[in-house]
């Protein structure tokens, strides 16, 4: 468990981005607890600090988290767009993803969720469909 701030939220890093493992752990905890926007903030900091060859991956993960945020806020159009855009970016790393990231699985989940929302509306997105593992089981 991560330490908490006065509001009960895990604190977000100030200044430099977290190391990749720490960022993924925190983002996973935030996604698992339904706080996709906070996960987006963590992933965005990692994207901006990542080496050039990893930036599209982190950007895609951040976009997927924003897509989840749109679902939570009732914006089906925004959700579908960001889930697809982020999923395509992450899919580009499926062959050799860094940091144990489950790129193929994350990209597939984002695409399937976007398809489901497009076909059946936001009602098709339950809290369970908004959770997925960023990394392979460790």
């Amino acid at each position: 468990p991560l330490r908490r701030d006065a509001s009960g939220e895990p604190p977000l890093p100030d200044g430099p981005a977290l190391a990749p493992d720490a960022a993924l752990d925190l983002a996973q905890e935030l996604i698992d607890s339904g706080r996709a926007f906070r996960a987006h903030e963590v992933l965005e900091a990692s994207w901006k600090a990542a080496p050039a060859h990893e930036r599209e991956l982190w950007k895609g993960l951040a976009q997927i988290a924003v897509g989840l945020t749109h679902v939570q806020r009732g914006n089906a159009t925004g959700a579908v767009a960001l889930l697809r855009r982020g999923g395509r970016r992450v899919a580009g790393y499926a062959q050799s993803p860094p940091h144990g990231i489950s790129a193929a699985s994350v990209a597939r989940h984002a695409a399937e969720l976007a398809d489901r929302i497009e076909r059946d509306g936001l009602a098709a997105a339950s809290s369970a469909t908004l959770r997925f593992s960023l990394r392979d089981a460790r």
Side-chain angles (χ1 to χ4, degrees):
L2 299 164
R3 64 185 177 81
R4 307 284 174 183
D5 66 17
S7 70
E9 292 279 336
L12 292 177
D14 290 327
L18 296 170
D21 282 342
L24 290 164
D25 287 345
L26 179 55
Q28 186 69 64
E29 179 178 326
L30 293 165
I31 288 168
D32 289 348
S33 62
R35 295 173 292 175
F37 187 77
R38 300 270 298 189
H40 153 261
E41 293 174 320
V42 171
L43 296 165
E44 183 178 52
S46 295
W47 149 35
K48 292 179 177 180
H53 65 279
E54 290 182 12
R55 279 198 197 116
E56 288 295 300
L57 171 64
W58 291 99
K59 185 175 186 176
L61 292 172
Q63 288 176 322
I64 291 169
V66 173
L68 299 178
T69 301
H70 282 305
V71 172
Q72 293 169 331
R73 294 179 178 172
N75 177 356
T77 302
V80 168
L82 270 295
L83 288 166
R84 288 201 195 291
R85 193 175 310 143
R88 282 192 299 271
R89 281 193 164 93
V90 172
Y93 291 81
Q95 294 304 311
S96 58
H99 312 295
I101 295 170
S102 304
S105 175
V106 170
R108 185 172 46 256
H109 182 83
E112 289 170 357
L113 182 55
D115 289 346
R116 196 173 308 128
I117 292 167
E118 209 166 45
R119 184 183 60 243
D120 303 324
L122 287 172
S126 68
S127 59
T129 64
L130 301 183
R131 294 192 180 99
F132 58 93
S133 293
L134 293 169
R135 292 195 275 190
D136 300 319
R138 302 187 314 146

